[in-house]
Structure formats: C-alpha cells, structure tokens
Amino acid sequence: MDLSGKVINLLAEVGGNSKSGNAWRKQEYIIETGGQYPKKVCVSIWGDKIDQFGLKVGEQVTLGIDVESREYNGRWYTEVKAFKVDRTNGGGGAPAMPEVDSFYSESDEDKLPF
C-alpha cells in the first residue's frame, strides 16, 4: 500500500531491548495526506531505516506501508509501518505521457492489430 503526504511532525525516537536481548528502536512521524479532506496518519519506521530514510518535517513523501493489527489483553492495537520512501518534488507537474505507437503509416504495411 502507498501513502502520500507531507511530514508535519516528528515524534521522539524510542528504543530498548527485547526479551531476547536484541536492541530495537522506533521513530514515529505524522503524515498529512492531501485532498479535500486531509487525514493525519502516524507512521512508524523501525531500526536502521530511521537513518536510511532521514525524513524531515515539511517534506512531501510517498511511503510504502504495511498496516498490522494485534491483540493484547483483549484490546486491539494497529500500527502503520513504512518500508519504503519516495521523495516527491514539491512542484508536482503533470506526469509524463507514455510514448504511443500511431497506427498511421505511409507504407503499404497494415499496422492494425485486427
């Protein structure tokens, strides 16, 4: 799934050690989507991807995300995790049109597919 929007807030990084003794760290970002009814979504980035992605407040991004819910003591918790970041250039312009082969030809060869 993809989520596009602007990074509007950066929450404090948290970390610790798992039961098995492995160190972990997590950074959460608030992304505001565009459109007539913008939504705010809290997105988590885990481990080394925090440094690799290097998101900053004010950037326009498109995130590849996974949404996962889990149950703990009878309550359900949902987390949105980012695994890919594409930075959007602020201008936005129209996307490039793909090159299309025309059926018109000056030769006698028939290019029609039927």
Side-chain angles (χ1 to χ4, degrees), residues 2-66:
D2 286 339
L3 174 70
S4 295
K6 182 178 181 178
V7 180
I8 61 168
N9 199 358
L10 162 68
L11 304 180
E13 183 179 318
V14 294
N17 290 311
S18 66
K19 290 181 184 178
S20 61
N22 296 325
W24 61 270
R25 53 192 268 237
K26 174 175 83 166
Q27 179 83 52
E28 293 179 317
Y29 300 86
I30 308 301
I31 308 295
E32 185 173 51
T33 64
Q36 185 176 0
Y37 303 104
K39 306 269 190 267
K40 293 183 176 102
V41 181
C42 182
V43 178
S44 303
I45 298 178
W46 288 80
D48 293 337
K49 291 187 184 217
I50 297 169
D51 300 323
Q52 179 185 349
F53 295 160
L55 294 180
K56 296 183 178 14
V57 173
E59 282 186 301
Q60 287 286 339
V61 294
T62 298
L63 304 173
I65 60 168
D66 285 327

Side-chain angles (χ1 to χ4, degrees), residues 73-86:
N73 288 339
R75 293 198 58 195
W76 283 88
Y77 299 88
T78 301
E79 184 170 30
V80 179
K81 296 179 184 178
F83 61 86
K84 177 180 78 170
V85 173
D86 291 325

